[in-house]
Amino acid sequence: MSSFDVLLDDERTQLEAFLEEHRSAIEATLDGLTEEQVRRRLVPSATTLLGLLKHLTWMQRVWFEECVGGKSRRELGMGQNPDGSFRLADDETIASLTAAHQQACATAREIAAGLPLDTVVTGHPRGPRTLRWVYLQVLREFAQHRGHADILREQLLAE
């Protein structure tokens, strides 16, 4: 469902539609590219297309599994630092990280299902916030990194 399909729907439906668009779009930036291309560093930082997907997977787990779900990063087997979430292991591939992203998305949907947007969640180390705030934060992260991904893809295709 596109965000343009929910113009007059309730806030939750609109937030989820925008989020689903971002989730699909970040995966689509990898379409038709090779493993080598998606790992290529085109900027001075460690940012790569595949690294962006890995980071966005980590980010969703932080906000939904930790903040909303109440499990610590240690319990979840996740690194503490966002910088590490961009770094790729040799055995990580488009397929493996896409599967991890899709699993993180499914888990996020499951955790948030049925909770009102005004629900106060307390699992984040920096303190409580509403589920609505979590959705907005996740959307902000996706929007920022989708822009990065679009530019990296454009650079790769121009080579």
Side-chain angles (χ1 to χ4, degrees), residues 95-157:
S96 69
L97 290 180
T98 298
H101 180 253
Q102 290 171 354
Q103 180 58 55
C105 295
T107 301
R109 287 184 205 101
E110 182 180 310
I111 288 170
L115 294 176
L117 291 175
D118 291 330
T119 300
V120 175
V121 295
T122 59
H124 197 273
R126 292 190 180 171
R129 59 215 59 223
T130 64
L131 180 61
R132 176 182 290 103
W133 189 95
V134 169
Y135 270 98
L136 293 170
Q137 172 62 20
V138 170
L139 283 168
R140 176 171 59 181
E141 286 265 349
F142 263 105
Q144 175 184 359
H145 293 307
R146 264 190 69 195
H148 297 149
D150 288 342
I151 291 167
L152 291 175
R153 181 179 173 82
E154 184 178 328
Q155 288 178 306
L156 287 166
L157 293 175

Short mmCIF file of all heavy atoms in Angstrom, two decimals, residues 95-157:
data_model
loop_
_atom_site.label_atom_id
_atom_site.label_comp_id
_atom_site.label_asym_id
_atom_site.label_seq_id
_atom_site.Cartn_x
_atom_site.Cartn_y
_atom_site.Cartn_z
N ALA A 95 21.68 -11.26 0.05
CA ALA A 95 20.62 -12.18 0.48
C ALA A 95 20.54 -12.28 2.00
O ALA A 95 19.44 -12.21 2.57
CB ALA A 95 20.84 -13.57 -0.12
N SER A 96 21.67 -12.41 2.67
CA SER A 96 21.62 -12.60 4.13
C SER A 96 21.17 -11.33 4.85
O SER A 96 20.38 -11.39 5.80
CB SER A 96 22.98 -13.06 4.68
OG SER A 96 23.96 -12.04 4.60
N LEU A 97 21.62 -10.18 4.38
CA LEU A 97 21.21 -8.94 5.05
C LEU A 97 19.80 -8.51 4.66
O LEU A 97 19.10 -7.90 5.48
CB LEU A 97 22.23 -7.84 4.80
CG LEU A 97 23.57 -8.07 5.52
CD1 LEU A 97 24.55 -6.94 5.24
CD2 LEU A 97 23.38 -8.25 7.02
N THR A 98 19.36 -8.86 3.46
CA THR A 98 17.96 -8.60 3.11
C THR A 98 17.04 -9.47 3.97
O THR A 98 16.03 -8.99 4.48
CB THR A 98 17.71 -8.87 1.61
OG1 THR A 98 18.52 -7.95 0.85
CG2 THR A 98 16.25 -8.66 1.24
N ALA A 99 17.41 -10.72 4.17
CA ALA A 99 16.61 -11.61 5.03
C ALA A 99 16.59 -11.08 6.47
O ALA A 99 15.53 -11.09 7.12
CB ALA A 99 17.17 -13.03 5.00
N ALA A 100 17.73 -10.61 6.97
CA ALA A 100 17.77 -10.05 8.33
C ALA A 100 16.90 -8.80 8.42
O ALA A 100 16.20 -8.60 9.42
CB ALA A 100 19.21 -9.73 8.71
N HIS A 101 16.93 -7.98 7.38
CA HIS A 101 16.10 -6.77 7.37
C HIS A 101 14.62 -7.14 7.37
O HIS A 101 13.82 -6.58 8.14
CB HIS A 101 16.44 -5.91 6.15
CG HIS A 101 15.63 -4.66 6.07
ND1 HIS A 101 14.64 -4.49 5.16
CD2 HIS A 101 15.66 -3.54 6.83
CE1 HIS A 101 14.08 -3.29 5.35
NE2 HIS A 101 14.69 -2.70 6.35
N GLN A 102 14.25 -8.09 6.54
CA GLN A 102 12.84 -8.50 6.48
C GLN A 102 12.39 -9.10 7.81
O GLN A 102 11.26 -8.87 8.24
CB GLN A 102 12.64 -9.46 5.32
CG GLN A 102 12.76 -8.75 3.98
CD GLN A 102 12.78 -9.67 2.78
OE1 GLN A 102 12.81 -10.90 2.90
NE2 GLN A 102 12.79 -9.07 1.60
N GLN A 103 13.26 -9.83 8.48
CA GLN A 103 12.93 -10.39 9.79
C GLN A 103 12.76 -9.27 10.82
O GLN A 103 11.83 -9.29 11.63
CB GLN A 103 14.00 -11.38 10.26
CG GLN A 103 13.69 -11.99 11.62
CD GLN A 103 12.36 -12.72 11.64
OE1 GLN A 103 12.13 -13.61 10.82
NE2 GLN A 103 11.47 -12.37 12.56
N ALA A 104 13.65 -8.27 10.79
CA ALA A 104 13.53 -7.14 11.71
C ALA A 104 12.22 -6.38 11.47
O ALA A 104 11.56 -5.95 12.42
CB ALA A 104 14.72 -6.20 11.56
N CYS A 105 11.84 -6.24 10.21
CA CYS A 105 10.57 -5.56 9.87
C CYS A 105 9.39 -6.36 10.42
O CYS A 105 8.47 -5.77 11.01
CB CYS A 105 10.44 -5.39 8.37
SG CYS A 105 11.65 -4.29 7.61
N ALA A 106 9.40 -7.67 10.21
CA ALA A 106 8.30 -8.51 10.69
C ALA A 106 8.21 -8.46 12.21
O ALA A 106 7.11 -8.36 12.77
CB ALA A 106 8.50 -9.95 10.22
N THR A 107 9.35 -8.51 12.88
CA THR A 107 9.36 -8.45 14.34
C THR A 107 8.85 -7.09 14.82
O THR A 107 8.06 -7.02 15.77
CB THR A 107 10.78 -8.72 14.88
OG1 THR A 107 11.19 -10.02 14.44
CG2 THR A 107 10.82 -8.65 16.39
N ALA A 108 9.26 -6.03 14.15
CA ALA A 108 8.79 -4.69 14.52
C ALA A 108 7.27 -4.58 14.38
O ALA A 108 6.59 -4.06 15.26
CB ALA A 108 9.48 -3.63 13.65
N ARG A 109 6.75 -5.10 13.27
CA ARG A 109 5.29 -5.07 13.08
C ARG A 109 4.58 -5.83 14.20
O ARG A 109 3.56 -5.36 14.73
CB ARG A 109 4.92 -5.71 11.74
CG ARG A 109 5.25 -4.88 10.53
CD ARG A 109 4.75 -5.59 9.25
NE ARG A 109 5.54 -5.15 8.14
CZ ARG A 109 6.54 -5.84 7.58
NH1 ARG A 109 6.85 -7.05 8.03
NH2 ARG A 109 7.21 -5.35 6.57
N GLU A 110 5.11 -6.98 14.53
CA GLU A 110 4.50 -7.82 15.57
C GLU A 110 4.53 -7.13 16.93
O GLU A 110 3.54 -7.13 17.66
CB GLU A 110 5.26 -9.15 15.63
CG GLU A 110 4.69 -10.14 16.63
CD GLU A 110 5.51 -11.42 16.62
OE1 GLU A 110 5.75 -11.97 15.54
OE2 GLU A 110 5.90 -11.86 17.72
N ILE A 111 5.65 -6.53 17.28
CA ILE A 111 5.79 -5.87 18.58
C ILE A 111 4.85 -4.68 18.70
O ILE A 111 4.23 -4.47 19.74
CB ILE A 111 7.26 -5.43 18.80
CG1 ILE A 111 8.12 -6.66 19.06
CG2 ILE A 111 7.38 -4.43 19.94
CD1 ILE A 111 9.62 -6.39 19.05
N ALA A 112 4.71 -3.91 17.62
CA ALA A 112 3.89 -2.70 17.67
C ALA A 112 2.40 -2.97 17.47
O ALA A 112 1.57 -2.13 17.84
CB ALA A 112 4.38 -1.71 16.62
N ALA A 113 2.06 -4.11 16.93
CA ALA A 113 0.66 -4.41 16.62
C ALA A 113 -0.21 -4.29 17.87
O ALA A 113 0.12 -4.81 18.93
CB ALA A 113 0.54 -5.82 16.03
N GLY A 114 -1.29 -3.60 17.71
CA GLY A 114 -2.26 -3.51 18.79
C GLY A 114 -1.94 -2.46 19.85
O GLY A 114 -2.77 -2.19 20.72
N LEU A 115 -0.74 -1.90 19.83
CA LEU A 115 -0.41 -0.85 20.80
C LEU A 115 -0.86 0.51 20.27
O LEU A 115 -0.52 0.86 19.13
CB LEU A 115 1.10 -0.80 21.05
CG LEU A 115 1.76 -1.99 21.72
CD1 LEU A 115 3.28 -1.79 21.79
CD2 LEU A 115 1.18 -2.21 23.11
N PRO A 116 -1.60 1.25 21.05
CA PRO A 116 -1.97 2.60 20.61
C PRO A 116 -0.73 3.49 20.45
O PRO A 116 0.28 3.29 21.13
CB PRO A 116 -2.86 3.12 21.75
CG PRO A 116 -3.30 1.91 22.49
CD PRO A 116 -2.20 0.90 22.33
N LEU A 117 -0.81 4.46 19.57
CA LEU A 117 0.32 5.35 19.34
C LEU A 117 0.71 6.14 20.59
O LEU A 117 1.86 6.56 20.73
CB LEU A 117 0.00 6.32 18.19
CG LEU A 117 -0.10 5.69 16.81
CD1 LEU A 117 -0.55 6.73 15.78
CD2 LEU A 117 1.23 5.07 16.40
N ASP A 118 -0.23 6.33 21.50
CA ASP A 118 0.07 7.07 22.73
C ASP A 118 0.68 6.19 23.82
O ASP A 118 0.99 6.69 24.91
CB ASP A 118 -1.20 7.73 23.27
CG ASP A 118 -1.67 8.88 22.39
OD1 ASP A 118 -0.82 9.52 21.74
OD2 ASP A 118 -2.89 9.13 22.34
N THR A 119 0.90 4.91 23.54
CA THR A 119 1.52 4.02 24.51
C THR A 119 2.91 4.55 24.87
O THR A 119 3.72 4.85 23.99
CB THR A 119 1.65 2.59 23.94
OG1 THR A 119 0.36 2.11 23.61
CG2 THR A 119 2.32 1.66 24.92
N VAL A 120 3.18 4.66 26.15
CA VAL A 120 4.51 5.07 26.60
C VAL A 120 5.37 3.82 26.71
O VAL A 120 5.01 2.86 27.40
CB VAL A 120 4.44 5.82 27.95
CG1 VAL A 120 5.84 6.14 28.47
CG2 VAL A 120 3.62 7.10 27.80
N VAL A 121 6.49 3.84 26.00
CA VAL A 121 7.41 2.71 26.01
C VAL A 121 8.67 3.12 26.77
O VAL A 121 9.10 4.27 26.70
CB VAL A 121 7.72 2.23 24.57
CG1 VAL A 121 6.45 1.68 23.91
CG2 VAL A 121 8.31 3.34 23.71
N THR A 122 9.23 2.18 27.49
CA THR A 122 10.29 2.55 28.44
C THR A 122 11.58 1.77 28.25
O THR A 122 12.47 1.83 29.10
CB THR A 122 9.79 2.35 29.88
OG1 THR A 122 9.43 0.96 30.04
CG2 THR A 122 8.60 3.23 30.19
N GLY A 123 11.74 1.05 27.14
CA GLY A 123 12.90 0.19 26.98
C GLY A 123 14.16 0.87 26.51
O GLY A 123 15.22 0.25 26.48
N HIS A 124 14.11 2.13 26.13
CA HIS A 124 15.31 2.79 25.62
C HIS A 124 16.12 3.37 26.79
O HIS A 124 15.54 3.94 27.71
CB HIS A 124 14.96 3.88 24.62
CG HIS A 124 16.12 4.31 23.79
ND1 HIS A 124 16.99 5.29 24.20
CD2 HIS A 124 16.59 3.87 22.60
CE1 HIS A 124 17.93 5.44 23.28
NE2 HIS A 124 17.71 4.59 22.30
N PRO A 125 17.45 3.25 26.74
CA PRO A 125 18.29 3.75 27.83
C PRO A 125 18.13 5.24 28.12
O PRO A 125 18.37 5.68 29.23
CB PRO A 125 19.72 3.45 27.37
CG PRO A 125 19.60 2.44 26.29
CD PRO A 125 18.24 2.58 25.71
N ARG A 126 17.71 6.00 27.13
CA ARG A 126 17.56 7.45 27.34
C ARG A 126 16.19 7.84 27.88
O ARG A 126 15.87 9.02 27.97
CB ARG A 126 17.84 8.20 26.05
CG ARG A 126 19.30 8.12 25.65
CD ARG A 126 19.60 9.06 24.53
NE ARG A 126 21.00 8.96 24.18
CZ ARG A 126 21.53 9.53 23.13
NH1 ARG A 126 20.76 10.24 22.32
NH2 ARG A 126 22.81 9.40 22.87
N GLY A 127 15.37 6.87 28.18
CA GLY A 127 14.11 7.17 28.84
C GLY A 127 12.88 6.93 28.01
O GLY A 127 12.94 6.53 26.86
N PRO A 128 11.72 7.16 28.65
CA PRO A 128 10.44 6.86 28.01
C PRO A 128 10.11 7.82 26.87
O PRO A 128 10.58 8.95 26.82
CB PRO A 128 9.43 7.00 29.15
CG PRO A 128 10.09 7.84 30.16
CD PRO A 128 11.57 7.66 30.00
N ARG A 129 9.25 7.32 26.00
CA ARG A 129 8.72 8.09 24.88
C ARG A 129 7.46 7.37 24.40
O ARG A 129 7.22 6.25 24.80
CB ARG A 129 9.74 8.23 23.76
CG ARG A 129 10.20 6.89 23.22
CD ARG A 129 11.63 6.80 22.78
NE ARG A 129 12.56 7.10 23.84
CZ ARG A 129 13.63 7.87 23.68
NH1 ARG A 129 13.91 8.35 22.51
NH2 ARG A 129 14.44 8.12 24.66
N THR A 130 6.70 7.95 23.51
CA THR A 130 5.50 7.28 23.01
C THR A 130 5.84 6.43 21.79
O THR A 130 6.86 6.65 21.11
CB THR A 130 4.41 8.29 22.60
OG1 THR A 130 4.89 9.08 21.51
CG2 THR A 130 3.99 9.17 23.77
N LEU A 131 4.98 5.48 21.50
CA LEU A 131 5.13 4.69 20.29
C LEU A 131 5.08 5.60 19.06
O LEU A 131 5.82 5.36 18.09
CB LEU A 131 4.04 3.61 20.21
CG LEU A 131 4.08 2.71 18.99
CD1 LEU A 131 5.39 1.92 18.91
CD2 LEU A 131 2.88 1.77 18.99
N ARG A 132 4.27 6.62 19.09
CA ARG A 132 4.21 7.58 17.97
C ARG A 132 5.60 8.16 17.73
O ARG A 132 6.05 8.26 16.59
CB ARG A 132 3.22 8.70 18.28
CG ARG A 132 3.17 9.79 17.20
CD ARG A 132 2.21 10.93 17.56
NE ARG A 132 0.83 10.46 17.48
CZ ARG A 132 0.08 10.16 18.55
NH1 ARG A 132 0.58 10.29 19.78
NH2 ARG A 132 -1.16 9.75 18.40
N TRP A 133 6.29 8.56 18.80
CA TRP A 133 7.63 9.12 18.68
C TRP A 133 8.57 8.10 18.04
O TRP A 133 9.39 8.44 17.19
CB TRP A 133 8.15 9.55 20.06
CG TRP A 133 9.42 10.32 19.99
CD1 TRP A 133 9.55 11.68 19.98
CD2 TRP A 133 10.74 9.79 19.89
NE1 TRP A 133 10.88 12.02 19.89
CE2 TRP A 133 11.63 10.87 19.84
CE3 TRP A 133 11.26 8.50 19.86
CZ2 TRP A 133 13.01 10.71 19.74
CZ3 TRP A 133 12.64 8.33 19.75
CH2 TRP A 133 13.50 9.42 19.70
N VAL A 134 8.45 6.83 18.43
CA VAL A 134 9.29 5.77 17.86
C VAL A 134 9.05 5.69 16.35
O VAL A 134 10.01 5.64 15.57
CB VAL A 134 9.04 4.42 18.56
CG1 VAL A 134 9.71 3.28 17.80
CG2 VAL A 134 9.50 4.47 20.01
N TYR A 135 7.80 5.67 15.93
CA TYR A 135 7.51 5.64 14.49
C TYR A 135 8.14 6.82 13.78
O TYR A 135 8.75 6.67 12.72
CB TYR A 135 6.00 5.65 14.23
CG TYR A 135 5.36 4.29 14.18
CD1 TYR A 135 4.70 3.77 15.28
CD2 TYR A 135 5.39 3.53 13.01
CE1 TYR A 135 4.10 2.51 15.22
CE2 TYR A 135 4.79 2.28 12.95
CZ TYR A 135 4.15 1.78 14.06
OH TYR A 135 3.57 0.55 14.00
N LEU A 136 8.01 7.99 14.34
CA LEU A 136 8.57 9.19 13.70
C LEU A 136 10.09 9.13 13.64
O LEU A 136 10.69 9.51 12.63
CB LEU A 136 8.10 10.45 14.43
CG LEU A 136 6.61 10.74 14.30
CD1 LEU A 136 6.20 11.87 15.24
CD2 LEU A 136 6.24 11.06 12.86
N GLN A 137 10.73 8.64 14.69
CA GLN A 137 12.19 8.49 14.70
C GLN A 137 12.64 7.49 13.63
O GLN A 137 13.60 7.73 12.90
CB GLN A 137 12.68 8.05 16.08
CG GLN A 137 14.14 7.68 16.15
CD GLN A 137 15.09 8.82 15.81
OE1 GLN A 137 14.72 9.99 15.88
NE2 GLN A 137 16.31 8.48 15.43
N VAL A 138 11.96 6.37 13.54
CA VAL A 138 12.31 5.36 12.55
C VAL A 138 12.11 5.92 11.14
O VAL A 138 12.95 5.72 10.26
CB VAL A 138 11.51 4.06 12.79
CG1 VAL A 138 11.68 3.08 11.64
CG2 VAL A 138 11.95 3.41 14.10
N LEU A 139 11.03 6.65 10.93
CA LEU A 139 10.80 7.28 9.62
C LEU A 139 11.91 8.28 9.30
O LEU A 139 12.38 8.36 8.17
CB LEU A 139 9.44 7.96 9.59
CG LEU A 139 8.25 7.02 9.41
CD1 LEU A 139 6.94 7.75 9.69
CD2 LEU A 139 8.25 6.43 8.01
N ARG A 140 12.33 9.05 10.30
CA ARG A 140 13.40 10.02 10.09
C ARG A 140 14.69 9.31 9.65
O ARG A 140 15.36 9.73 8.71
CB ARG A 140 13.64 10.84 11.35
CG ARG A 140 14.80 11.81 11.21
CD ARG A 140 14.93 12.77 12.34
NE ARG A 140 15.11 12.12 13.63
CZ ARG A 140 15.22 12.79 14.76
NH1 ARG A 140 15.15 14.12 14.76
NH2 ARG A 140 15.39 12.16 15.90
N GLU A 141 15.03 8.24 10.35
CA GLU A 141 16.24 7.48 10.00
C GLU A 141 16.15 6.92 8.58
O GLU A 141 17.11 7.00 7.81
CB GLU A 141 16.43 6.32 10.98
CG GLU A 141 16.92 6.75 12.33
CD GLU A 141 18.44 6.65 12.47
OE1 GLU A 141 19.10 6.07 11.59
OE2 GLU A 141 18.94 7.17 13.47
N PHE A 142 15.00 6.33 8.25
CA PHE A 142 14.84 5.77 6.91
C PHE A 142 14.95 6.85 5.85
O PHE A 142 15.62 6.65 4.82
CB PHE A 142 13.51 5.03 6.78
CG PHE A 142 13.62 3.56 6.97
CD1 PHE A 142 13.18 2.98 8.15
CD2 PHE A 142 14.15 2.73 5.99
CE1 PHE A 142 13.28 1.61 8.34
CE2 PHE A 142 14.25 1.37 6.17
CZ PHE A 142 13.81 0.80 7.36
N ALA A 143 14.31 7.99 6.06
CA ALA A 143 14.33 9.05 5.06
C ALA A 143 15.76 9.53 4.82
O ALA A 143 16.18 9.70 3.67
CB ALA A 143 13.44 10.20 5.51
N GLN A 144 16.50 9.73 5.90
CA GLN A 144 17.88 10.19 5.78
C GLN A 144 18.72 9.18 5.01
O GLN A 144 19.42 9.53 4.05
CB GLN A 144 18.46 10.40 7.17
CG GLN A 144 19.93 10.77 7.17
CD GLN A 144 20.49 10.88 8.58
OE1 GLN A 144 19.80 10.71 9.57
NE2 GLN A 144 21.76 11.19 8.66
N HIS A 145 18.66 7.93 5.41
CA HIS A 145 19.52 6.92 4.81
C HIS A 145 19.05 6.48 3.42
O HIS A 145 19.87 6.04 2.61
CB HIS A 145 19.70 5.74 5.76
CG HIS A 145 20.47 6.13 6.98
ND1 HIS A 145 21.70 6.76 6.93
CD2 HIS A 145 20.18 6.01 8.30
CE1 HIS A 145 22.14 6.99 8.14
NE2 HIS A 145 21.23 6.55 9.00
N ARG A 146 17.76 6.61 3.13
CA ARG A 146 17.31 6.34 1.77
C ARG A 146 17.92 7.34 0.81
O ARG A 146 18.30 7.00 -0.31
CB ARG A 146 15.78 6.44 1.67
CG ARG A 146 15.11 5.12 1.78
CD ARG A 146 13.65 5.21 1.44
NE ARG A 146 13.43 5.47 0.02
CZ ARG A 146 12.26 5.88 -0.46
NH1 ARG A 146 11.22 6.07 0.34
NH2 ARG A 146 12.12 6.08 -1.75
N GLY A 147 18.02 8.59 1.25
CA GLY A 147 18.67 9.60 0.42
C GLY A 147 20.12 9.24 0.15
O GLY A 147 20.60 9.35 -0.99
N HIS A 148 20.82 8.81 1.20
CA HIS A 148 22.21 8.36 1.02
C HIS A 148 22.26 7.20 0.02
O HIS A 148 23.10 7.19 -0.88
CB HIS A 148 22.81 7.89 2.34
CG HIS A 148 22.90 8.95 3.38
ND1 HIS A 148 22.80 8.69 4.72
CD2 HIS A 148 23.09 10.29 3.29
CE1 HIS A 148 22.93 9.81 5.40
NE2 HIS A 148 23.09 10.79 4.55
N ALA A 149 21.37 6.24 0.20
CA ALA A 149 21.36 5.06 -0.67
C ALA A 149 21.09 5.42 -2.12
O ALA A 149 21.72 4.88 -3.04
CB ALA A 149 20.33 4.04 -0.16
N ASP A 150 20.16 6.33 -2.34
CA ASP A 150 19.85 6.75 -3.71
C ASP A 150 21.07 7.36 -4.39
O ASP A 150 21.36 7.08 -5.56
CB ASP A 150 18.70 7.76 -3.73
CG ASP A 150 17.36 7.14 -3.40
OD1 ASP A 150 17.22 5.90 -3.49
OD2 ASP A 150 16.43 7.90 -3.05
N ILE A 151 21.81 8.18 -3.65
CA ILE A 151 23.00 8.81 -4.21
C ILE A 151 24.09 7.78 -4.49
O ILE A 151 24.73 7.79 -5.54
CB ILE A 151 23.51 9.93 -3.28
CG1 ILE A 151 22.52 11.09 -3.28
CG2 ILE A 151 24.91 10.40 -3.69
CD1 ILE A 151 22.73 12.11 -2.19
N LEU A 152 24.30 6.86 -3.55
CA LEU A 152 25.32 5.82 -3.77
C LEU A 152 24.96 4.96 -4.98
O LEU A 152 25.83 4.63 -5.79
CB LEU A 152 25.47 4.96 -2.51
CG LEU A 152 26.11 5.64 -1.31
CD1 LEU A 152 26.09 4.70 -0.11
CD2 LEU A 152 27.51 6.14 -1.61
N ARG A 153 23.69 4.59 -5.09
CA ARG A 153 23.26 3.78 -6.24
C ARG A 153 23.50 4.54 -7.54
O ARG A 153 24.00 3.97 -8.52
CB ARG A 153 21.79 3.39 -6.09
CG ARG A 153 21.29 2.53 -7.25
CD ARG A 153 19.84 2.13 -7.07
NE ARG A 153 19.35 1.46 -8.26
CZ ARG A 153 19.54 0.18 -8.55
NH1 ARG A 153 20.20 -0.61 -7.72
NH2 ARG A 153 19.06 -0.34 -9.66
N GLU A 154 23.15 5.81 -7.55
CA GLU A 154 23.36 6.62 -8.74
C GLU A 154 24.84 6.66 -9.13
O GLU A 154 25.19 6.54 -10.31
CB GLU A 154 22.85 8.05 -8.49
CG GLU A 154 22.90 8.96 -9.67
CD GLU A 154 22.33 10.34 -9.37
OE1 GLU A 154 21.40 10.45 -8.56
OE2 GLU A 154 22.85 11.30 -9.96
N GLN A 155 25.71 6.79 -8.12
CA GLN A 155 27.15 6.80 -8.40
C GLN A 155 27.60 5.45 -8.98
O GLN A 155 28.39 5.40 -9.92
CB GLN A 155 27.95 7.08 -7.12
CG GLN A 155 27.84 8.51 -6.66
CD GLN A 155 28.60 8.72 -5.38
OE1 GLN A 155 28.38 8.02 -4.39
NE2 GLN A 155 29.51 9.68 -5.38
N LEU A 156 27.11 4.37 -8.41
CA LEU A 156 27.49 3.03 -8.89
C LEU A 156 27.03 2.80 -10.33
O LEU A 156 27.77 2.24 -11.14
CB LEU A 156 26.92 1.95 -7.98
CG LEU A 156 27.60 1.83 -6.63
CD1 LEU A 156 26.76 0.99 -5.67
CD2 LEU A 156 29.00 1.25 -6.78
N LEU A 157 25.83 3.23 -10.64
CA LEU A 157 25.30 3.02 -11.98
C LEU A 157 25.97 3.90 -13.02
O LEU A 157 25.96 3.58 -14.22
CB LEU A 157 23.78 3.23 -11.99
CG LEU A 157 22.98 2.20 -11.20
CD1 LEU A 157 21.51 2.58 -11.16
CD2 LEU A 157 23.18 0.79 -11.74
#
